[in-house]
Amino acid sequence: MQLQLCSWPEVERYLEKSTTIMVPIGSAEQHGPIGLIGTDAICPEVVARGVAEQTVTLVAPTLSLGMAQHHLAFPGSIALRPSTLMALINDVVRSLLRHGFDRIYFLNGHGGNIATVTAAFSEIWADASFAGESRPAPRLRLYNWWSGERVRGLSRELFGGAEGSHATPSEVSLSYYAYPQAVKQAPLSPKVAPVGAIRDAADYRRQFADGRIGSDPSLASVEHGERLYHAAVADVGEDLRRFGSTD
Ligand code: NI
């Protein structure tokens, strides 16, 4: 069920049976010469909708902007600074808590969001601790769509050492599966991009001229994306069931 397609009485009825909701979170940032700007939002969104169908879980609208300052030297990237993203997470969580959702599962598509979203959770829990609240604190979880065993195993099998860490053939494949009309081709040189640490946007572009890190997304395809989609839906579905049933 998509929250965007529900009426408020439907949400009220859902809350009588479940207080779990999924929130896909991504980023709008360059993904190399053939990856889509929306890759990191598209991937968790499509996986969350697949999981929602199987588990009858509500999915909130995708938070499609993230902490992406290091991509700003490439046209099309839009970034929230960490403090803005933390404020966004806080307002989203408090809105949902007010309705009675107390298990909020953020399905993430962007590694750059992890530190900030985790810090935002700590702020929310700190507020409860300082206030001396005796009610159970909200259950908040951040899970990356690519981090389950099935997806990691399949990525290794399909792409080996060409997976890399940005504009990966796995995420590009999954986004192509979601939007086959947007499949792109361009020459990539070197075939596998370099690796290294990153600081700000100018440093990133100096080190990684076409935007990729350690990856060869020319290996991406709609067919691989379909397999990764089913692996991710299984991984996330399993993790979500655990999250929904633990105290
Ligand atoms: Ni990405």
Side-chain angles (χ1 to χ4, degrees), residues 86-87 89-90 94 116-130 140:
M86 287 176 70
I89 297 290
N90 189 49
R94 285 182 194 284
T116 303
V117 174
T118 306
F121 290 175
S122 294
E123 283 281 354
I124 292 162
W125 289 324
D127 282 347
S129 299
F130 285 118
L140 309 172

Side-chain angles (χ1 to χ4, degrees), residues 57-183:
T57 305
L58 203 54
V59 185
T62 302
L63 309 180
S64 52
L65 302 179
M67 212 303 284
Q69 55 81 16
H70 46 296
H71 293 291
L72 283 174
F74 295 90
S77 303
I78 302 174
L80 304 181
R81 60 180 64 238
S83 51
T84 311
L85 180 56
M86 287 176 70
L88 172 70
I89 297 290
N90 189 49
D91 287 357
V92 168
V93 167
R94 285 182 194 284
S95 301
L96 293 170
L97 288 176
R98 192 180 194 286
H99 307 312
F101 293 100
D102 66 355
R103 294 176 195 262
I104 305 172
Y105 188 92
F106 288 83
L107 184 60
N108 184 38
H110 173 48
N113 286 340
I114 296 171
T116 303
V117 174
T118 306
F121 290 175
S122 294
E123 283 281 354
I124 292 162
W125 289 324
D127 282 347
S129 299
F130 285 118
E133 284 180 14
S134 52
R135 287 176 306 170
R139 293 166 181 82
L140 309 172
R141 180 157 173 78
L142 182 72
Y143 186 80
N144 306 313
W145 72 261
W146 65 86
S147 64
E149 266 180 35
R150 294 175 188 82
V151 170
R152 283 188 296 124
L154 186 56
S155 293
R156 260 195 311 275
E157 175 194 323
L158 293 171
F159 310 121
E163 171 71 357
S165 59
H166 186 66
T168 69
S170 292
E171 62 179 346
V172 172
S173 292
L174 183 51
S175 70
Y176 284 180
Y177 171 63
Y179 292 93
Q181 69 275 30
V183 170

Side-chain angles (χ1 to χ4, degrees), residues 1-75:
M1 290 168 75
Q2 291 185 49
L3 184 66
Q4 294 183 102
L5 306 182
C6 289
S7 65
W8 72 260
E10 288 173 319
V11 179
E12 198 165 70
R13 280 198 294 278
Y14 175 89
L15 277 161
E16 289 166 9
K17 294 178 305 205
S18 174
T19 56
T20 301
I21 188 165
M22 274 190 285
V23 185
I25 178 168
S27 181
E29 63 185 47
Q30 67 82 19
H31 272 75
I34 62 168
L36 316 184
I37 299 280
T39 302
D40 290 355
I42 291 166
C43 291
E45 180 171 274
V46 69
V47 172
R49 287 179 184 176
V51 172
E53 277 171 24
Q54 289 187 359
T55 60
V56 198
T57 305
L58 203 54
V59 185
T62 302
L63 309 180
S64 52
L65 302 179
M67 212 303 284
Q69 55 81 16
H70 46 296
H71 293 291
L72 283 174
F74 295 90

